[in-house]
CSV table of all heavy atoms in Angstrom, one decimal:
chain,number,residue,atom,x,y,z
C,309,LEU,N,-38.4,191.3,137.3
C,309,LEU,CA,-39.7,190.5,137.5
C,309,LEU,C,-40.8,191.5,138.0
C,309,LEU,O,-40.5,192.5,138.5
C,309,LEU,CB,-39.6,189.4,138.5
C,309,LEU,CG,-38.6,188.3,138.0
C,309,LEU,CD1,-38.4,187.3,139.1
C,309,LEU,CD2,-39.0,187.7,136.8
C,310,PRO,N,-42.1,191.1,137.6
C,310,PRO,CA,-43.2,192.0,138.0
C,310,PRO,C,-43.2,192.2,139.5
C,310,PRO,O,-43.0,191.2,140.2
C,310,PRO,CB,-44.4,191.2,137.6
C,310,PRO,CG,-43.9,190.3,136.6
C,310,PRO,CD,-42.5,190.0,136.9
C,311,PRO,N,-43.4,193.4,140.0
C,311,PRO,CA,-43.3,193.7,141.5
C,311,PRO,C,-44.4,192.9,142.2
C,311,PRO,O,-45.6,193.1,141.9
C,311,PRO,CB,-43.4,195.2,141.6
C,311,PRO,CG,-43.9,195.6,140.3
C,311,PRO,CD,-43.7,194.6,139.2
C,312,ALA,N,-44.1,192.3,143.3
C,312,ALA,CA,-45.1,191.8,144.1
C,312,ALA,C,-45.6,192.8,145.2
C,312,ALA,O,-46.6,192.6,145.9
C,312,ALA,CB,-44.5,190.5,144.9
C,313,THR,N,-44.9,193.9,145.2
C,313,THR,CA,-45.3,195.0,146.3
C,313,THR,C,-44.8,196.3,145.6
C,313,THR,O,-43.9,196.4,144.8
C,313,THR,CB,-44.5,194.7,147.5
C,313,THR,OG1,-44.6,195.9,148.4
C,313,THR,CG2,-43.0,194.4,147.4
C,314,LYS,N,-45.5,197.4,146.1
C,314,LYS,CA,-45.0,198.7,145.7
C,314,LYS,C,-43.8,199.1,146.4
C,314,LYS,O,-43.1,200.1,146.0
C,314,LYS,CB,-46.2,199.7,146.0
C,314,LYS,CG,-47.3,199.6,145.0
C,314,LYS,CD,-48.1,200.9,145.0
C,314,LYS,CE,-49.4,200.8,144.2
C,314,LYS,NZ,-50.6,200.9,145.1
C,315,SER,N,-43.4,198.4,147.5
C,315,SER,CA,-42.3,198.9,148.2
C,315,SER,C,-41.0,198.8,147.5
C,315,SER,O,-40.7,197.8,146.7
C,315,SER,CB,-42.2,197.9,149.5
C,315,SER,OG,-41.0,198.2,150.1
C,316,GLN,N,-40.1,199.8,147.7
C,316,GLN,CA,-38.8,199.7,147.1
C,316,GLN,C,-37.8,199.1,148.0
C,316,GLN,O,-36.6,198.9,147.6
C,316,GLN,CB,-38.4,201.2,146.7
C,316,GLN,CG,-39.2,201.7,145.7
C,316,GLN,CD,-39.2,203.3,145.7
C,316,GLN,OE1,-38.8,203.9,146.6
C,316,GLN,NE2,-39.7,203.8,144.6
C,317,ALA,N,-38.2,198.8,149.2
C,317,ALA,CA,-37.2,198.3,150.2
C,317,ALA,C,-36.7,196.9,149.9
C,317,ALA,O,-37.4,196.0,149.4
C,317,ALA,CB,-38.0,198.3,151.5
C,318,ALA,N,-35.4,196.7,150.3
C,318,ALA,CA,-34.8,195.4,150.0
C,318,ALA,C,-34.9,194.7,151.5
C,318,ALA,O,-33.9,194.2,152.1
C,318,ALA,CB,-33.3,195.6,149.7
C,319,GLU,N,-36.1,194.7,152.1
C,319,GLU,CA,-36.3,194.2,153.5
C,319,GLU,C,-36.4,192.7,153.3
C,319,GLU,O,-37.4,192.2,152.8
C,319,GLU,CB,-37.5,194.9,154.0
C,319,GLU,CG,-38.0,194.3,155.4
C,319,GLU,CD,-36.9,194.4,156.4
C,319,GLU,OE1,-36.4,195.5,156.7
C,319,GLU,OE2,-36.6,193.3,157.0
C,320,VAL,N,-35.4,192.0,153.9
C,320,VAL,CA,-35.4,190.5,153.6
C,320,VAL,C,-36.5,189.8,154.2
C,320,VAL,O,-36.7,188.7,153.8
C,320,VAL,CB,-33.9,189.9,154.0
C,320,VAL,CG1,-32.8,190.6,153.4
C,320,VAL,CG2,-33.8,189.9,155.5
Side-chain angles (χ1 to χ4, degrees):
L309 295 175
T313 164
K314 283 198 188 115
S315 169
Q316 294 157 345
E319 173 55 55
V320 302

